[in-house]
């Protein structure tokens, strides 16, 4: 499992829905790198969860008296009542796991974040309003269009969470491969049909990979992201480079 992207966070959200209706008995907030508003979070003891929402890669647990935002960074996982929705591992009580960075204990059960790398962030940021529309929605291009920049590589545009929320490195490479568009192309050089095609692919790919089990299950799968590997569609050797600051794989034969 790689970096949690929108599909993984959606799986986390579905798992976290188990705690809707429960009251928080205590919060473990002592990891000061991961947890930003420990004292404020402690004020939610006794409060009841009424909803768990997601926007892009940001998950929010809404309590009756406030809400907590969870961002899973590069390697964060969620555990609900001892189970992880993606790792198939069963965890014991939260205090036994040294990678637990934050947890909520309820009258029955608990919700925790494990993260060996500590890039996860937990806080009461309430910054979801600034993010672009969620990539898992319909009519995406219509909702994203007012935020599309005039210039910038198409890869960088799709990675920008303020343009469209939720896409990460692997999903963007998958989407551009299926759209047959070179990730280095500047958005100003793409025709209207090409841009439509990209957003149609987003709407098609995300539900498909969610069913397959996550963002690493694309045609341009995780195991192809090594030097010397070949395009799954035409067998041409994949190119590798850094675009928008991220290691990118693309096929120079069919992506133009
Ligand atoms: Zn190809």
């Amino acid at each position: 499992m790689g970096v949690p992207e929108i599909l993984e966070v959606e799986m986390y959200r579905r798992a976290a829905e188990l705690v809707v209706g429960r009251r928080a008995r205590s919060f473990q907030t002592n990891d000061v790198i991961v947890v930003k508003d420990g004292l404020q979070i402690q004020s939610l003891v006794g409060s009841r969860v009424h909803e768990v929402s997601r926007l892009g890669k940001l998950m929010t647990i809404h309590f009756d008296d406030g809400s907590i935002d969870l961002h899973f960074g590069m390697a964060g996982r969620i555990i609900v009542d001892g189970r992880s929705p993606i790792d198939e591992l069963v965890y014991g009580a939260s205090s036994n796991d040294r990678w637990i960075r934050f947890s909520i204990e309820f009258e029955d059960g608990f919700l925790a974040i494990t993260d060996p790398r500590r890039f996860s962030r937990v806080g009461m940021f309430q910054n979801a309003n600034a993010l672009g529309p969620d990539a898992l929605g319909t009519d995406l291009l219509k909702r994203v269009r007012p935020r599309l920049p005039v210039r910038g590589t198409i890869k960088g545009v799709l990675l920008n969470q303020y343009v469209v929320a939720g896409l990460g490195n692997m999903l963007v490479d998958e989407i551009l491969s299926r759209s047959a568009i070179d990730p280095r192309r500047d958005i100003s050089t793409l025709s209207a049909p090409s841009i439509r095609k990209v957003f149609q692919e987003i709407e098609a790919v995300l539900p498909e990979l969610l069913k397959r089990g996550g963002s690493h299950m694309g045609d341009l799968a995780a195991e192809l992201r090594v030097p010397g590997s070949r395009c799954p569609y035409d067998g041409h050797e994949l190119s590798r480079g850094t675009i928008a600051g991220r290691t990118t794989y693309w096929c120079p034969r069919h992506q133009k």
Side-chain angles (χ1 to χ4, degrees), residues 231 233-234 236 251 253-254:
C231 174
Y233 305 126
D234 54 40
H236 196 279
C251 172
R253 178 172 289 168
H254 85 267

Side-chain angles (χ1 to χ4, degrees), residues 9-246:
V9 180
E10 175 60 14
M11 290 186 245
Y12 295 177
R13 189 197 65 77
R14 291 177 184 181
E17 284 201 311
L18 272 176
V19 308
V20 169
R22 298 188 196 174
R23 263 175 220 289
R25 192 159 69 183
S26 67
F27 293 91
Q28 180 200 314
T29 58
N30 47 5
D31 189 314
V32 296
I33 291 183
V34 170
V35 182
K36 286 307 172 196
D37 306 306
L39 275 179
Q40 272 174 280
I41 288 172
Q42 294 294 347
S43 73
L44 295 177
V45 168
S47 192
R48 198 179 56 95
V49 176
H50 66 81
E51 189 191 358
V52 183
S53 66
R54 181 191 57 72
L55 177 56
K57 294 184 264 191
L58 183 73
M59 188 176 110
T60 304
I61 302 177
H62 302 267
F63 291 82
D64 290 336
D65 304 307
S67 55
I68 300 176
D69 292 326
L70 308 154
H71 196 281
F72 297 93
M74 305 291 286
R77 303 280 182 271
I78 203 166
I79 303 170
V80 182
D81 297 345
R83 289 179 180 280
S84 157
I86 55 178
D87 286 339
E88 307 290 331
L89 296 172
V90 178
Y91 294 77
S94 60
S95 54
N96 292 340
D97 191 314
R98 68 193 170 96
W99 286 343
I100 299 254
R101 305 302 180 190
F102 169 74
S103 66
I104 310 171
E105 204 188 321
F106 299 97
E107 300 98 328
D108 50 340
F110 67 94
L111 181 152
I113 294 183
T114 67
D115 185 352
R117 300 184 60 185
R118 297 176 94 192
F119 287 118
S120 294
R121 292 293 177 262
V122 175
M124 300 174 81
F125 314 126
Q126 298 182 315
N127 63 356
N129 290 338
L131 294 173
D134 188 74
L136 255 175
T138 51
D139 270 336
L140 190 60
L141 178 56
K142 196 170 147 195
R143 291 181 295 125
V144 165
R145 198 184 288 285
R147 293 169 176 261
L148 282 180
V150 179
R151 282 192 196 82
T153 62
I154 185 64
K155 171 132 191 183
V157 168
L158 295 177
L159 283 174
N160 184 336
Q161 303 298 302
Y162 301 101
V163 173
V164 51
L167 302 179
N169 197 35
M170 283 188 73
L171 283 176
V172 170
D173 284 1
E174 176 79 17
I175 289 156
L176 292 176
S177 171
R178 293 190 186 208
S179 309
I181 290 171
D182 186 320
R184 298 168 296 178
R185 284 282 294 278
D186 197 283
I187 190 169
S188 62
T189 69
L190 292 176
S191 66
S194 293
I195 290 175
R196 264 202 306 280
K197 170 81 175 150
V198 169
F199 282 86
Q200 280 164 0
E201 289 296 345
I202 295 172
E203 288 187 22
V205 167
L206 296 192
E208 182 188 330
L209 297 194
L210 190 58
K211 269 192 210 138
R212 284 197 210 167
S215 48
H216 58 302
M217 301 296 285
D219 295 342
L220 201 59
E223 57 268 25
L224 292 180
R225 302 181 64 86
V226 290
S229 63
R230 296 188 170 275
C231 174
Y233 305 126
D234 54 40
H236 196 279
E237 188 172 330
L238 295 175
S239 297
R240 176 179 189 268
T242 302
I243 303 168
R246 307 297 303 275

